[in-house]
Amino acid sequence: MPNFPPAAPICFLLLILCSSLSGQSFSDLKPSPQQLAWQDLEFGVILHFGTNTFLDREWGDGTADPKVFAPTSFDPEQWMRAIKAAGAKYVVLVAKHHDGFCLWPTEHTDYSVKSSAWENGHGDIVRQVSDAARKYGLRFGVYLSPWDRHEPKYKDSAEYDNYYVAELQELANNYGELVEFWLDGAGSEGHVYNFPRYIENLRMYQPNTLVFADAALFEYGDIRWVGNEEGAIPYENWNVLDRHGYLRWRPVEADTPLHKKHWFWHPNDEATLKSVDELVSTYENTVGRGGQLMLGLAPDRRGLLPEADVKRMEDFGAAIRKLYGENLIAKERIHNQPLEPAFDGDPDTFWSAPAGSHLAQLEADFSKPVTFDHCLTMEWLDAGQRIEQYRIEAWDGKIWKALAEGHAIGHKKIDSFPPVTASRVRLNILASSAEAHIREFQVFSQSGK
Ligand code: FUL
């Protein structure tokens, strides 16, 4: 009889083997340079414009006559001016929604702008929007709906895969660098797609594009959907998630329309326009929780953003600049050279806690008492998301008083609290998986603004 070792050591050996095979721990996961660059963009806009705009619909059924697509004064530069004014850094154009109508003159179907009356069928919305975005310094990306309610090939999965890939190749090859590619799972339940082939094709021509994917298509995404369209990221927000047993850095994007529940333009829809206060709280609940805000804009039948929407975007941008424009640490601090990178208002520089530390304090001192009620902290994420517990504290003359506390910081964390007047404020890092890196520690006074 062979001489077996006792059971307990075998289990122990297996355990060691398994953990070294999976080999991943949350704190070791790091973002790609493309993900980091994308996270720095913070705020984008998704644009819905198509036959639905002309038919008062949200989900077209694919039967609309292309002739209905007839904008009278299409001007994407007007869109871009409003987008810039709001402070967004990139746009994603819905090049094809679920109705299958293509906004560029694709060679693979006639169901496109080619068959519309607009510019006598010679126009290209994708071209003009991408040119306008770049002219205004905005990054450009596309959404190409997998679900297609018009294309007859949709009935045959393999044939439709060829069709989708051909469309994707046109978009990936002809419109410059794409910052983001939206892979939307809506309506696709029960249909089999060759997603690995789609992504391989995209990556071949656009290696730096970030793929957005919702839960159904999660495996293929570099970015994840937040799981709602309300414009809020539940806190705690961690960048590393597991998917079927493997871990990946997968930052979150929260998409929400400027008009409540409406992605496309509708007549007499002023009542659904979100207020500046609602937009500011959306910003604080998305960007302020370390994720991306993707705001939906809808040009009207003229091909212009409604004047009220333009005004709302301008007012939203102005409100954010007013609320977060005057960093009192940058303005009022007593300079302390080693800490300057976190206090200088420049997110390209960062302060590091002592090497190997798991807790640290970052203290800003003022020459006179300063009143503040908001705090903004940014973690330098190149080495991973390290901070696991923190407190914002002010010195009341006797003790450090907690103003706010939390676990995740990530790209950006905004904390609010009742106004406090103090001449010392600190970020107390109570737990970090390795030494913390802080790009920015800022405080603001919003009362009365
Ligand atoms: C969803 C779509 O079904 C909506 O119509 C819209 O395009 C939104 C951004 O994504 O999944």
Side-chain angles (χ1 to χ4, degrees):
M1 224 175 118
N3 202 0
F4 287 111
I10 291 186
C11 292
F12 183 64
L13 276 176
L14 276 176
L15 212 78
I16 291 177
L17 197 65
C18 290
S19 63
S20 67
L21 278 180
S22 79
Q24 292 187 301
S25 95
F26 276 85
S27 52
D28 292 340
L29 264 274
K30 296 179 181 56
S32 68
Q34 294 89 337
Q35 286 172 318
L36 283 172
W38 179 84
Q39 286 187 263
D40 269 349
L41 299 177
E42 293 186 354
F43 171 21
V45 158
I46 186 163
L47 295 157
H48 286 75
F49 184 49
T51 59
N52 291 343
T53 309
F54 296 84
L55 298 172
D56 196 7
R57 287 182 184 159
E58 277 293 304
W59 276 11
D61 61 7
T63 62
D65 183 336
K67 294 273 179 288
V68 301
F69 184 80
T72 47
S73 0
F74 174 68
D75 178 9
E77 293 198 13
Q78 184 248 16
W79 314 356
M80 300 309 155
R81 283 191 289 276
I83 292 166
K84 276 292 266 199
K89 299 280 188 329
Y90 65 105
V91 298
V92 170
L93 173 66
V94 177
K96 177 184 85 165
H97 201 244
H98 311 320
D99 65 341
F101 183 77
C102 298
L103 291 185
W104 76 105
T106 170
E107 284 178 12
H108 306 285
T109 176
D110 289 333
Y111 203 55
S112 80
V113 282
K114 257 190 327 202
S115 306
S116 76
W118 177 65
E119 297 201 345
N120 295 322
H122 296 296
D124 182 344
I125 299 279
V126 179
R127 167 84 51 230
Q128 292 200 37
V129 174
S130 59
D131 285 351
R134 294 201 169 92
K135 178 168 170 189
Y136 282 83
L138 296 157
R139 308 284 304 276
F140 178 74
V142 290
Y143 165 123
L144 180 67
S145 173
W147 186 30
D148 191 319
R149 304 177 84 185
H150 175 83
E151 178 50 47
K153 294 191 180 91
Y154 192 74
K155 287 194 281 300
D156 180 316
S157 279
E159 260 201 82
Y160 181 72
D161 285 340
N162 293 336
Y163 175 75
Y164 188 93
V165 166
E167 288 188 321
L168 177 61
Q169 288 187 351
E170 287 179 340
L171 292 173
N173 281 307
N174 298 327
Y175 298 95
E177 199 182 41
L178 301 177
V179 66
E180 182 171 328
F181 180 74
W182 251 69
L183 200 54
D184 188 349
S188 289
E189 297 78 13
H191 186 101
V192 177
Y193 300 93
N194 191 345
F195 283 119
R197 190 174 155 211
Y198 297 178
I199 303 301
E200 280 156 22
N201 263 273
L202 177 68
R203 292 256 182 269
M204 188 141 54
Y205 307 112
Q206 294 278 344
N208 296 319
T209 299
L210 286 237
V211 176
F212 167 95
D214 65 21
L217 313 174
F218 199 62
E219 225 171 308
Y220 309 99
D222 305 301
I223 312 165
R224 69 187 170 90
W225 183 47
V226 69
N228 69 69
E229 291 183 345
E230 309 309 316
I233 297 171
Y235 187 72
E236 310 283 326
N237 173 26
W238 301 98
N239 284 285
V240 176
L241 285 189
D242 86 302
R243 175 66 181 168
H244 297 161
Y246 68 93
L247 301 178
R248 270 206 70 183
W249 187 273
R250 208 165 316 238
V252 66
E253 186 173 73
D255 59 313
T256 190
L258 181 67
H259 283 261
K260 283 174 203 136
K261 305 203 186 302
H262 285 170
W263 293 103
F264 282 91
W265 179 84
H266 298 274
N268 309 316
D269 204 22
E270 291 73 20
T272 64
L273 187 54
K274 290 178 182 165
S275 68
V276 171
D277 283 353
E278 284 172 298
L279 293 169
V280 168
S281 87
T282 293
Y283 175 87
E284 289 171 346
N285 290 331
T286 54
V287 177
R289 289 182 177 172
Q292 216 86 344
L293 165 60
M294 179 58 111
L295 189 63
L297 290 193
D300 62 16
R301 291 178 186 164
R302 298 170 303 168
L304 295 173
L305 292 176
E307 283 67 19
D309 296 19
V310 170
K311 175 87 174 48
R312 198 52 50 92
M313 291 293 277
E314 291 168 353
D315 291 350
F316 172 39
I320 295 296
R321 287 190 294 277
K322 190 163 167 191
L323 296 173
Y324 294 99
E326 191 182 39
N327 167 17
L328 297 171
I329 289 185
K331 200 172 159 211
E332 307 284 0
R333 75 189 180 285
I334 300 169
H335 284 246
N336 179 345
Q337 204 45 46
L339 311 182
E340 281 303 296
F343 297 157
D344 58 5
D346 176 4
D348 288 337
T349 60
F350 65 92
W351 163 84
S352 296
S357 63
H358 295 285
L359 42 89
Q361 286 90 34
L362 177 66
E363 178 180 333
D365 298 338
F366 303 114
S367 46
K368 58 176 194 317
V370 166
T371 302
F372 53 93
D373 48 30
H374 279 72
C375 179
L376 182 156
T377 314
M378 291 178 80
E379 212 177 328
W380 183 77
L381 296 175
D382 298 44
Q385 185 170 0
R386 292 184 165 180
I387 296 174
E388 294 171 349
Q389 197 182 353
Y390 74 96
R391 224 165 22 220
I392 310 292
E393 298 170 337
W395 181 251
D396 76 354
K398 289 196 191 78
I399 55 157
W400 285 103
K401 247 181 86 179
L403 305 175
E405 53 196 327
H407 290 268
I409 291 182
H411 173 73
K412 187 172 271 185
K413 179 71 187 1
I414 293 176
D415 287 298
S416 61
F417 35 84
V420 62
T421 303
S423 48
R424 296 167 71 190
V425 56
R426 73 179 186 183
L427 168 67
N428 192 356
I429 298 159
L430 299 166
S432 59
S433 57
E435 69 269 19
H437 300 298
I438 301 297
R439 294 170 78 175
E440 278 305 302
F441 181 52
Q442 309 184 344
V443 300
F444 305 90
S445 171
Q446 295 190 357
S447 31
K449 283 196 175 168

